[in-house]
Amino acid sequence: PHLVRVTESIVATYAGLPADFRALAAAARELAIDHARRWGADASLRTLADAVARHVQERTQQGGYRPYGCALVLAGRDEHGCGLYRVDPSGWYAPWRATCVGEGAPALSEKLAEGFDELRDLDAARARLVELLAAEDRVVAVAAVAADGALDSALDLEPNATVAREAVAAAGETDET
């Protein structure tokens, strides 16, 4: 799967090697469990992103190990609100309002930034993502973390212009071409 739950309120997705993502998602779960045991509270999204980034960076320097071959995106909701973090294979991480990873990420990031502030609700944001990614003939993976931490409508879609038109139409932005 392209989307996995790390904690009750944090999900992860990736670009790169699927096996490395599975290993990194398992490591993120272990780091979250260790934090909860040690501190008696769930790790915030920033704390978990920092711990995962440190783990990834350590792998770049350990003998007998190769670095992880995937970039990770962590999204979730905690006591500070909604958040989105990207962790690169080097161990660098940063918070984002909207981001993407993988082939063509810089161009797609620019397109995501265009008109980002006009997206008023989840449906409009979801439709914009589906529209951009389907137009690029890419697999679309969209998820939303609800206020109570529930994973709201995760979906993996194969590239399909019809799906993009339907999603855009559902958001009230029809384009009949």
Side-chain angles (χ1 to χ4, degrees), residues 15-124:
L17 300 173
D20 285 1
F21 171 63
R22 288 189 298 273
L24 200 49
R29 286 184 192 112
E30 288 180 24
L31 290 166
I33 290 168
D34 288 346
H35 183 279
R37 284 184 187 150
R38 178 173 293 136
W39 300 104
D42 291 337
S44 69
L45 180 60
R46 183 186 187 287
T47 300
L48 186 60
D50 181 68
V52 170
R54 278 187 280 115
H55 174 76
V56 169
Q57 199 280 328
E58 287 170 3
R59 286 290 292 264
T60 66
Q61 297 180 341
Q62 288 178 333
Y65 291 99
R66 65 172 176 76
Y68 286 103
C70 69
L72 187 70
V73 176
L74 295 169
R77 182 179 270 292
D78 57 23
E79 67 274 5
H80 305 294
C82 298
L84 182 68
Y85 282 83
R86 187 174 81 198
V87 180
D88 285 346
S90 66
W92 175 85
Y93 79 102
W96 293 86
R97 290 178 60 202
T99 190
C100 53
V101 293
E103 182 183 356
L108 281 173
S109 291
E110 284 183 28
K111 290 177 184 177
L112 275 174
E114 293 172 8
F116 182 81
D117 292 327
E118 286 88 40
L119 299 175
R120 299 285 181 226
D121 62 4
L122 182 61
D123 290 333

Side-chain angles (χ1 to χ4, degrees), residues 142-153:
V142 180
V145 180
D148 62 358
L151 185 60
D152 177 35
S153 64

